[in-house]
Amino acid sequence: MVNPLEIKVERNKHKKTKPPQDQLGFGVHFTDHMFVMDYAQEKGWYHPRIVPYQPIVLDPAAKVFHYGQTIFEGLKAYRTGDGRTLLFRPQKNIERMNRSNERLSVPQLDEALFLSALQQLIAADQDWIPSGAGTSLYIRPFVIATQPALGVSPSEHYQFIIIMSPVGAYYPEGINPVKIFVEAEYVRAVIGGVGEAKTAGNYAAGLKAQEAAKELGYSQVLWLDGVHRTYIEEVGSMNVFFKINGTVLTPALNGSILDGITRSSMIQLLKHLDIPIEERMISIEELYEAGRNGTLEEAFGTGTAAVISPIGELSWKGEKLVIQDGQTGELSKKLYDTLTGIQKGSLADPFGWMVEVSETPSGVL
Amino acid sequence: MVNPLEIKVERNKHKKTKPPQDQLGFGVHFTDHMFVMDYAQEKGWYHPRIVPYQPIVLDPAAKVFHYGQTIFEGLKAYRTGDGRTLLFRPQKNIERMNRSNERLSVPQLDEALFLSALQQLIAADQDWIPSGAGTSLYIRPFVIATQPALGVSPSEHYQFIIIMSPVGAYYPEGINPVKIFVEAEYVRAVIGGVGEAKTAGNYAAGLKAQEAAKELGYSQVLWLDGVHRTYIEEVGSMNVFFKINGTVLTPALNGSILDGITRSSMIQLLKHLDIPIEERMISIEELYEAGRNGTLEEAFGTGTAAVISPIGELSWKGEKLVIQDGQTGELSKKLYDTLTGIQKGSLADPFGWMVEVSETPSGVL
């Protein structure tokens, strides 16, 4: 096991100019440093280091290019009004990354080292954390298979890398409701597959449907299950919730749906607020029926990037369903304000979700 | 459109030492040159070039690392007894690559340029083509998404690369029958997904099952369909054929099975030999029933890497099925000898499959 104290740091002497806080976009600007650690079958993970942000240099036969053995995570650090830095439930991302690693035959990461790497990297680039409304520092840990060999088998070499990007809102529309296309032709994932894992192929598989939906004026795709083409799974980069007749419903985890951290936090928050919440199978027919008979009160997606996105309209096989007159519902607004308030440190955190990042963690920088 | 004559060539001045022909392995040694071409949304594909084999240098945010937008192909060049170089049906790989590109929202490649790139690259490294029995030059064209941006959307930048590797037999066992584990828990692909495309995520999705099978002593996994878990789809890197009661059966293409070039060649060859061949749905129950009642005469997989692999044993839910006493069947042997004979130029090619590579194509090298 690698000792977290042994993370070597090479300071970047050529700091970049930071973009204006109102022109951050999502994932297009990157900070001055990155974390890198190597893996070799014969010695495990080794040489953890913080280095200047720099290109990855790989043999063209590296397995990641050919067989997609790669895992990623996404989480955010927030700058509070009083200047502290808070991470939202990093332990959950660390645990999920190791579950994804397990599914994709990638070696497990040491949890303490992972957390320490996050803390130290954020401390090194803390002047990159934006403070404006809706902004945060998006953190992208990922593992890639680096062995240069074309046989189809788990790689014997990997790199674990963390990069960071100051971001504005994921959707240019912000908290305004999005229009979602219910996909009837393409399938994202199926039980027995890798839908539950945060791995590259799941996202590549969704691009075609997403492009087609965009052309029709929809921001994202709502996926149905691959077996019956009936049960609601998730939106491209979000889990989904529906408020029907006073009760909030969300698809139960089944192995092909991402176990979203914002999703599980939302369930906890709803219970805390004494709002009925059910995790179960939801058919698209049931949802449309509720829409037609007026009991579908609100719909929203949850994810790290967007936090909460109200859904104002669905389209399924040519039938449009306008929800809450296309406006943001009361509950969606309340949940968004509560969760982002906790994340930004302006509201109390009764759940113990936020982890403070020290400016100088474990005597390293 | 890029003019094939405009492929720039930078000769490698530091040629590697070639490995002995009996120690080639599969996809571990690479030749002295590679082909590279760039794509930018605003100008299309540009700057086609043959350069010394060298690392790929990418921003850590390059989309290929995160969202798996990548396509590959695999084909082989053979050295004939009289010193000529033959490619096996390259046009089929080029067409399939563009079908995969379409499915994964990757821009189309110009077919003439692609073929010319293959020819010129092979000519540049023709001293790398091995001549021994079972050897060939394995060619791996691939496209990777290179735009450094973390939003989930098709990349605006790509690289198209071709690398080449002198190879021995894919299976160390050679033409000896392999043992295959019929997968009942994990699923590779489902109709509506990307199973038909030659994209990285399909292979990553199969690693876990493959590892589990290996631990039980099986070389590969036979996938069943993701909806009914009943119909035979394909083996990890091969399509499959079964001879039952004198008729050869192979699963019909359904969108989740790879449209194998060796598969379609095999069908053509069987028809040429007047051997009954049917493409249709085959349930694992039907196969096992044929095995139990003695009508399952032979089984084999087909693929570019292994050409033909006889299957000597299956295991499904704990029930073992030994085929042809675990020996190579007469038909498997005949098909293997015929196809490899055509590929190596020692047998006549009545189908017009082989394309000769000129030593100095289109006045470039």
Side-chain angles (χ1 to χ4, degrees):
Chain A
M1 203 190 93
V2 181
N3 183 339
L5 294 178
E6 288 172 1
I7 298 177
K8 298 276 186 300
V9 180
E10 181 197 339
R11 279 283 190 180
N12 193 334
K13 293 182 184 114
H14 306 283
K15 295 206 166 187
K16 300 176 212 174
T17 305
K18 294 180 182 64
Q21 289 215 13
D22 58 350
Q23 293 166 39
L24 294 175
F26 185 88
V28 288
H29 302 284
F30 297 92
T31 66
D32 289 318
H33 298 88
M34 62 198 275
F35 174 84
V36 184
M37 181 164 63
D38 300 306
Y39 177 91
Q41 201 173 45
E42 63 277 14
K43 54 179 170 176
W45 290 106
Y46 68 98
H47 193 21
R49 57 203 186 269
I50 288 169
V51 294
Y53 189 90
Q54 60 192 268
I56 296 174
V57 178
L58 290 177
D59 191 286
K63 291 199 176 201
V64 63
F65 296 131
H66 304 273
Y67 306 128
Q69 201 190 6
T70 172
I71 298 294
F72 72 91
E73 270 299 330
L75 70 163
K76 283 179 172 175
Y78 299 87
R79 171 69 31 102
T80 66
D82 57 358
R84 291 173 304 139
T85 301
L86 300 178
L87 273 170
F88 180 65
R89 310 189 81 183
Q91 190 61 32
K92 290 286 171 194
N93 294 91
I94 293 170
E95 290 165 5
R96 186 173 63 187
M97 186 139 185
N98 267 339
R99 291 200 302 276
S100 298
N101 285 338
E102 165 64 20
R103 181 64 183 87
L104 273 293
S105 302
V106 173
Q108 295 285 292
L109 289 155
D110 179 78
E111 296 191 0
L113 187 275
F114 191 157
L115 184 60
S116 179
L118 285 173
Q119 297 246 11
Q120 294 188 44
L121 181 62
I122 293 165
D125 280 334
Q126 58 184 297
D127 51 345
W128 278 90
I129 309 171
S131 55
T135 67
S136 56
L137 184 69
Y138 182 79
I139 303 163
R140 170 57 59 91
F142 62 108
V143 176
I144 53 175
T146 56
Q147 186 189 4
L150 295 183
V152 180
S153 60
S155 182
E156 293 174 6
H157 296 93
Y158 299 87
Q159 278 200 318
F160 172 48
I161 298 168
I162 307 175
I163 57 175
M164 306 195 298
S165 168
V167 299
Y170 188 77
Y171 295 106
E173 307 95 309
I175 178 74
N176 289 321
V178 292
K179 294 165 70 180
I180 302 282
F181 186 82
V182 183
E183 182 56 49
E185 179 185 357
Y186 298 113
V187 171
R188 172 188 171 273
V190 68
I191 291 174
V194 295
E196 197 176 35
K198 222 162 162 64
T199 184
N202 288 333
Y203 296 81
L207 292 174
K208 184 84 185 161
Q210 187 182 311
E211 271 196 307
K214 278 233 160 78
E215 273 176 28
L216 296 170
Y218 295 86
S219 6
Q220 295 240 6
V221 158
L222 176 62
W223 298 104
L224 302 181
D225 80 283
V227 174
H228 307 95
R229 306 288 190 104
T230 294
Y231 298 101
I232 291 169
E233 299 230 307
E234 63 179 88
V235 169
S237 55
M238 303 190 291
N239 294 108
V240 281
F241 290 75
F242 305 99
K243 185 171 170 231
I244 298 179
N245 220 0
T247 295
V248 179
L249 306 178
T250 193
L253 300 179
N254 61 357
S256 69
I257 298 177
L258 188 78
D259 182 2
I261 293 159
T262 312
R263 174 190 179 277
S264 71
S265 306
M266 197 55 59
I267 292 168
Q268 211 176 327
L269 181 56
L270 286 160
K271 287 179 179 165
H272 181 78
L273 295 170
D274 279 330
I275 296 168
I277 162 77
E278 288 177 19
E279 295 177 71
R280 63 167 171 83
M281 291 172 87
I282 307 162
S283 77
I284 185 69
E285 256 310 336
E286 175 185 1
L287 183 70
Y288 260 68
E289 189 47 39
R292 292 184 200 113
N293 70 26
T295 54
L296 174 58
E297 295 155 6
E298 294 190 34
F300 58 92
T302 64
T304 293
V307 187
I308 287 181
S309 277
I311 297 169
E313 183 182 320
L314 294 173
S315 174
W316 176 50
K317 293 184 175 174
E319 184 180 351
K320 285 188 186 179
L321 193 63
V322 175
I323 303 165
Q324 186 78 16
D325 292 329
Q327 305 300 309
T328 299
E330 195 183 329
L331 178 64
S332 304
K333 182 74 169 60
K334 177 176 185 160
L335 293 171
Y336 178 82
D337 289 344
T338 306
L339 187 51
T340 57
I342 292 171
Q343 289 172 333
K344 276 279 195 179
S346 62
L347 291 181
D349 170 18
F351 309 103
W353 286 339
M354 306 312 293
V355 173
E356 188 162 347
V357 178
S358 155
E359 289 192 18
T360 51
S362 38
V364 171
L365 288 162
Chain B
M1 205 189 91
V2 181
N3 183 338
L5 294 178
E6 288 172 2
I7 298 176
K8 297 278 185 299
V9 180
E10 182 198 338
R11 279 281 190 184
N12 194 335
K13 293 183 184 112
H14 307 282
K15 295 205 166 188
K16 301 176 211 172
T17 305
K18 295 180 182 63
Q21 289 215 15
D22 58 350
Q23 293 166 41
L24 294 176
F26 184 88
V28 288
H29 302 285
F30 297 92
T31 66
D32 288 318
H33 298 88
M34 62 198 276
F35 174 84
V36 183
M37 181 164 63
D38 300 305
Y39 177 91
Q41 200 173 47
E42 63 278 15
K43 54 179 169 178
W45 290 106
Y46 67 98
H47 193 23
R49 57 202 184 269
I50 288 169
V51 293
Y53 189 90
Q54 61 193 269
I56 297 174
V57 179
L58 289 177
D59 192 286
K63 291 198 177 204
V64 63
F65 295 132
H66 305 273
Y67 307 127
Q69 201 189 5
T70 174
I71 299 294
F72 71 91
E73 270 299 329
L75 69 163
K76 283 179 172 174
Y78 299 87
R79 172 69 29 102
T80 65
D82 57 359
R84 291 173 304 138
T85 301
L86 300 178
L87 273 170
F88 179 65
R89 309 190 81 182
Q91 190 62 30
K92 291 286 173 194
N93 294 90
I94 293 170
E95 290 165 6
R96 186 173 64 185
M97 185 139 185
N98 268 340
R99 291 199 302 276
S100 297
N101 285 338
E102 164 65 20
R103 181 64 184 88
L104 274 292
S105 303
V106 172
Q108 294 286 293
L109 289 156
D110 179 78
E111 295 190 2
L113 186 276
F114 192 157
L115 184 60
S116 180
L118 286 174
Q119 297 245 11
Q120 294 187 44
L121 182 62
I122 293 164
D125 279 334
Q126 58 184 298
D127 51 344
W128 278 89
I129 309 171
S131 54
T135 67
S136 56
L137 184 70
Y138 182 79
I139 304 163
R140 169 58 59 92
F142 62 109
V143 176
I144 53 175
T146 56
Q147 186 189 6
L150 296 182
V152 181
S153 60
S155 181
E156 294 174 5
H157 297 93
Y158 299 88
Q159 278 200 319
F160 172 48
I161 298 167
I162 307 174
I163 56 175
M164 306 194 299
S165 168
V167 299
Y170 189 77
Y171 295 105
E173 307 95 312
I175 179 73
N176 289 323
V178 292
K179 293 165 69 180
I180 302 281
F181 186 82
V182 183
E183 183 56 50
E185 178 186 359
Y186 297 112
V187 171
R188 173 188 171 271
V190 67
I191 292 175
V194 295
E196 196 175 34
K198 223 160 161 63
T199 184
N202 288 332
Y203 296 81
L207 292 174
K208 185 84 186 161
Q210 188 183 310
E211 272 195 308
K214 278 232 161 80
E215 273 175 29
L216 296 169
Y218 295 86
S219 6
Q220 296 241 5
V221 159
L222 176 63
W223 299 104
L224 302 181
D225 80 283
V227 174
H228 307 95
R229 306 288 190 105
T230 295
Y231 298 101
I232 291 169
E233 299 230 306
E234 62 179 89
V235 170
S237 55
M238 303 191 291
N239 294 109
V240 281
F241 290 75
F242 305 99
K243 185 172 170 228
I244 298 180
N245 220 1
T247 296
V248 179
L249 306 177
T250 192
L253 300 178
N254 62 357
S256 69
I257 297 176
L258 188 78
D259 181 2
I261 293 160
T262 313
R263 174 188 178 278
S264 70
S265 306
M266 198 53 61
I267 292 169
Q268 211 175 326
L269 181 56
L270 285 160
K271 287 179 179 166
H272 181 78
L273 296 171
D274 279 330
I275 296 168
I277 161 79
E278 288 178 19
E279 296 176 71
R280 64 166 170 86
M281 291 171 86
I282 308 163
S283 77
I284 184 70
E285 255 311 337
E286 174 185 0
L287 183 69
Y288 260 66
E289 190 46 40
R292 293 184 200 113
N293 70 24
T295 54
L296 174 57
E297 294 155 6
E298 296 190 36
F300 57 92
T302 64
T304 293
V307 188
I308 288 181
S309 276
I311 297 170
E313 182 181 319
L314 293 172
S315 173
W316 177 50
K317 293 183 176 175
E319 184 181 350
K320 285 188 187 180
L321 192 63
V322 175
I323 303 164
Q324 186 79 16
D325 292 327
Q327 305 301 309
T328 299
E330 194 184 331
L331 179 64
S332 306
K333 181 77 171 60
K334 177 175 186 161
L335 293 171
Y336 178 83
D337 289 345
T338 306
L339 187 51
T340 56
I342 292 172
Q343 289 172 331
K344 275 279 195 182
S346 62
L347 291 181
D349 170 19
F351 310 104
W353 284 339
M354 306 311 292
V355 173
E356 187 162 348
V357 178
S358 154
E359 287 193 19
T360 51
S362 41
V364 170
L365 286 164

